[in-house]
Amino acid sequence: MLPAEERRQAQEILTASRKLVKHCGQLREAEVAVALLRDAMKQSASEALRRMIHGKLRDGSLPNDGIQATIPGRPGDGSICGACDHIVASYDLMMMLAPREESSHSSPREVTPIPLHADCFEFWNRERPTFTPSS
Ligand SMILES: [Zn+2]
């Protein structure tokens, strides 16, 4: 038989452990909820970007064809991304999207390359085949 004091301490430890186990369960639930939320946010962020890219394909600010075969990439220089309208920072890879110059034109119009984040570029590249002007 344990002395009363030791029994009381053992009981306290037991209660604390039970609370901890319960707390861990809640923590795991919270982690799951956070993961789900993060997924949902990522999904809505890419959905927003997808809509933005579609809008720009539609209004012509992003080409959906007729670009150069090789797209040069370089560190960002603070230009505004042509897809998401955010600055391409120096730690980002910047893709320079340039509409292909048509040789048939006697006076080829000045083509301004469109800077894009590497991620936005990939997104644009994935989206453009699915784009139709009527959609
Ligand atoms: Zn971007």
Side-chain angles (χ1 to χ4, degrees), residues 49 80-88 115-121:
L49 186 59
I80 303 294
C81 171
C84 70
D85 292 340
H86 287 109
I87 283 172
V88 189
L116 290 178
H117 289 108
D119 287 350
C120 292
F121 168 77

Side-chain angles (χ1 to χ4, degrees), residues 82-130:
C84 70
D85 292 340
H86 287 109
I87 283 172
V88 189
S90 54
Y91 51 78
D92 291 318
L93 177 62
M94 183 170 71
M95 309 300 284
M96 296 306 284
L97 202 65
R100 197 166 36 209
E101 284 182 50
E102 287 172 40
S103 49
S104 59
H105 278 222
S106 48
S107 54
R109 64 196 170 96
E110 196 63 39
V111 284
T112 317
I114 304 161
L116 290 178
H117 289 108
D119 287 350
C120 292
F121 168 77
E122 273 178 37
F123 219 98
W124 165 81
N125 207 25
R126 256 202 320 269
E127 286 303 318
R128 68 195 175 104
T130 67

Side-chain angles (χ1 to χ4, degrees), residues 45-79:
S46 28
E47 177 58 26
L49 186 59
R50 197 184 71 84
R51 276 195 208 147
M52 216 160 164
I53 288 174
H54 269 239
K56 295 195 171 190
L57 283 167
R58 201 173 301 131
D59 71 17
S61 37
L62 278 176
N64 77 324
D65 210 355
I67 50 141
Q68 80 272 42
T70 312
I71 292 144
R74 55 180 158 101
D77 60 2
S79 300

Side-chain angles (χ1 to χ4, degrees), residues 17-61:
S17 326
R18 278 191 188 135
K19 266 188 201 155
L20 205 62
V21 167
K22 195 170 167 236
H23 188 69
C24 282
Q26 285 170 345
L27 202 64
R28 210 162 301 134
E29 275 174 38
E31 275 170 11
V32 170
V34 166
L36 286 173
L37 191 68
R38 202 173 289 147
D39 268 7
M41 278 168 66
K42 219 157 94 181
Q43 222 164 45
S44 70
S46 28
E47 177 58 26
L49 186 59
R50 197 184 71 84
R51 276 195 208 147
M52 216 160 164
I53 288 174
H54 269 239
K56 295 195 171 190
L57 283 167
R58 201 173 301 131
D59 71 17
S61 37

